Amino acid sequence: MENKFIPVCEPYLNGNELRYVTDAVITTWISSSGKYISRFEKAFASYLGVNHGIAVTNGTSALHLALVALGIGKGDEIIIPDFTMIASAFAIAYTGAIPVFVDSEKETWNVDTKLIESKISKKTKAIMPVHIWGHPVYMELIRSLAKKYNLKIIEDAAEAHGAEYQGVKCGNLGDIAAFSFFANKVATTGEGGMVVTNDDEIADKCRYYKNLCFPLNGTRNYQHNDIGFNYRMSNIHAAIGLAQVEKLDFYVQQRRKIHNLYLKYLRDIPGLIFQPEKEWAKNVYWMNGVIVDKDKFGINRDYLMQKLREKGIDSRLFFAGMHKQLSLIKFGCDISDDYPVSEYLEKNGMYLPSGSNLTEEQIKYISETIIRLQK
Ligand SMILES: Cc1ncc(COP(=O)(O)O)c(C=O)c1O
């Protein structure tokens, strides 16, 4: 066990992936036409309980496409958590709109919805909740603010396949949502993404803009009335995606099981704080994030990460806040506010190996190593 490196996440491809990909190759449907695209889109949409899925190249392009389909552009403002992955903000910047940052809750690590209203201006067009590490955002206040100020809700559900808010799956909580299928996600296509929505018109806009604004119907006369994007997913990627969605319940179960195993071994260790699961939520624990409270744990986060690496255990830092990103400052984002929770998370948070194929033996080894380092 000592010598085998444990990565932070490995894809788990234990269903029909090879069979479907082989079929795509043998039949030579390797580009963005082919049966696996629509089968994957339908299967994932049906899993979430939404009307439409539009497969794209990655989660970042899914977010961008969702914003474009809602008509977001220059002069608009979109509210996002300060503590998120940079793609949430970049996708907004691609449209010319400005991301506006809101601090997070210390408990769930998600956006603090109580702080959103003070950031709404005449330019605000949408709120983008991000379900961090697979824990759904508390949507009640976001929904009432969206209603009060006539704002759209764009879920960044990149990390939240199968997560639920009050029994409803993430991706089905606003006007439109974006998922990532990067290799470390609960379901993967290697690289890939999907936009999902219940709105027929918005779905058609996504299909239109995703394919260079070729008309959805009628002859292809190479006249393009709008500026579009090539965000088409290949049939090969969709073949992997379909196989993954067929087993998505299993992968979610695995992620939850792994989290419970970490709790089993580490719950009583003072100074290690895991992400909770609120009573209204189903957390899929995409990653097992942990806050290291140096005063109670004895050693700090950076030292723990370094020592784990020496023992062959991979881990990752938490995100750095959006208000600290030079790219976004140069872009014109307002960073005059304070973001104490986001800074606390960045300074003390790390995530442990979390892939769906981890064994109890590995988790026990990781946990025992952590406990030994503390002593
Ligand atoms: C919250 C969040 N949004 C967006 C993305 C972007 O997804 P992708 O890497 O597929 O472009 C990620 C990726 O990890 C993410 O964690």
Side-chain angles (χ1 to χ4, degrees):
M1 178 66 39
E2 283 272 347
N3 295 326
K4 183 134 182 353
F5 182 71
I6 305 177
V8 96
C9 193
E10 274 180 312
Y12 194 11
L13 310 170
N14 74 337
N16 285 318
E17 288 83 357
L18 191 57
R19 191 156 76 83
Y20 293 164
V21 169
T22 306
D23 178 50
V25 172
I26 285 174
T27 57
T28 72
W29 289 98
I30 57 169
S31 189
S32 57
S33 304
K35 65 185 177 194
Y36 290 110
I37 307 274
S38 55
R39 283 181 68 186
F40 175 41
E41 288 176 337
K42 286 201 175 91
F44 191 57
S46 147
Y47 176 84
L48 300 176
V50 293
N51 293 340
H52 303 280
I54 301 100
V56 293
T57 45
N58 54 58
T60 311
S61 56
L63 281 170
H64 181 215
L65 192 62
L67 291 155
V68 169
L70 292 178
I72 306 295
K74 207 168 165 52
D76 296 337
E77 290 179 358
I78 311 296
I79 291 179
I80 62 168
D82 186 72
F83 182 73
T84 185
M85 199 257 185
I86 194 74
S88 317
F90 276 0
I92 295 166
Y94 299 160
T95 70
I98 298 277
V100 173
F101 315 135
V102 173
D103 203 10
S104 295
E105 298 171 334
K106 207 165 177 181
E107 190 190 3
T108 65
W109 314 342
N110 278 326
V111 63
D112 187 340
T113 58
K114 296 185 294 308
L115 303 177
I116 291 178
E117 190 164 18
S118 68
K119 296 287 176 100
I120 295 175
S121 77
K122 287 204 168 60
K123 295 178 180 171
T124 309
K125 288 284 160 30
I127 302 171
M128 184 187 284
V130 184
H131 308 298
I132 293 289
W133 297 172
H135 191 297
V137 172
Y138 186 68
M139 295 299 293
E140 234 38 59
L141 198 50
I142 291 183
R143 283 175 171 158
S144 67
L145 290 172
K147 216 168 176 186
K148 183 169 167 192
Y149 294 97
N150 192 25
L151 308 175
K152 298 290 185 193
I153 299 174
I154 304 158
E155 286 177 78
D156 182 341
E159 306 173 354
H161 315 61
E164 292 176 15
Y165 173 75
Q166 294 179 343
V168 178
K169 290 216 164 59
C170 291
N172 202 355
L173 305 175
D175 296 284
I176 193 162
F179 285 86
S180 165
F181 295 106
F182 183 62
N184 60 13
K185 296 299 185 291
V186 179
T188 181
T189 58
E191 293 281 0
M194 202 179 293
V195 180
V196 299
T197 179
N198 284 312
D199 188 305
D200 300 351
E201 214 175 296
I202 293 176
D204 274 347
K205 282 197 178 152
C206 290
R207 294 187 184 106
Y208 174 66
Y209 282 105
K210 138 182 173 174
N211 189 21
L212 300 168
C213 293
F214 275 103
L216 290 181
N217 304 302
T219 36
R220 276 201 166 201
N221 59 3
Y222 293 94
Q223 287 297 323
H224 299 259
N225 297 336
D226 298 287
I227 291 177
F229 313 93
N230 178 356
Y231 286 164
R232 301 184 304 256
M233 176 182 269
S234 84
N235 198 43
I236 297 175
H237 289 86
I240 299 173
L242 176 63
Q244 289 274 295
V245 175
E246 286 171 352
K247 299 201 66 171
L248 193 40
D249 278 333
F250 167 74
Y251 295 126
V252 168
Q253 224 178 310
Q254 284 296 106
R255 289 312 238 243
R256 289 175 61 79
K257 189 170 127 191
I258 287 160
H259 177 72
N260 284 326
L261 287 169
Y262 275 121
L263 290 188
K264 173 175 158 185
Y265 294 110
L266 295 172
R267 176 186 272 133
D268 297 329
I269 305 300
L272 291 184
I273 307 153
F274 284 89
Q275 193 181 32
E277 180 176 61
K278 297 298 285 180
E279 57 289 354
W280 39 264
K282 178 176 179 181
N283 188 347
V284 289
Y285 303 102
W286 165 58
M287 286 295 156
N288 281 278
V290 63
I291 305 284
V292 183
D293 179 338
K294 180 181 168 287
D295 293 339
K296 294 197 180 115
F297 186 64
I299 58 177
N300 72 24
R301 187 264 324 258
D302 293 344
Y303 184 75
L304 177 60
M305 286 180 73
Q306 181 199 321
K307 287 288 162 195
L308 286 176
R309 180 157 283 274
E310 286 168 14
K311 299 278 177 195
I313 299 164
D314 203 9
S315 62
R316 290 279 187 287
L317 296 170
F318 270 18
F319 301 135
M322 295 302 102
H323 71 286
K324 289 189 165 176
Q325 307 291 339
L326 189 56
S327 52
L328 298 175
I329 297 167
K330 284 195 291 189
F331 187 68
C333 294
D334 179 0
I335 55 156
S336 57
D337 201 0
D338 292 328
Y339 301 92
V341 177
S342 174
E343 290 189 0
Y344 160 82
L345 295 170
E346 179 196 343
K347 184 161 175 254
N348 300 297
M350 59 184 273
Y351 57 83
L352 296 167
S354 298
S356 300
N357 52 2
L358 279 178
T359 62
E360 175 156 9
E361 193 193 6
Q362 287 175 308
I363 294 165
K364 190 163 181 263
Y365 168 68
I366 296 164
S367 304
E368 284 172 351
T369 307
I370 291 172
I371 293 165
R372 245 182 281 125
L373 285 170
Q374 187 199 17
K375 283 176 184 155

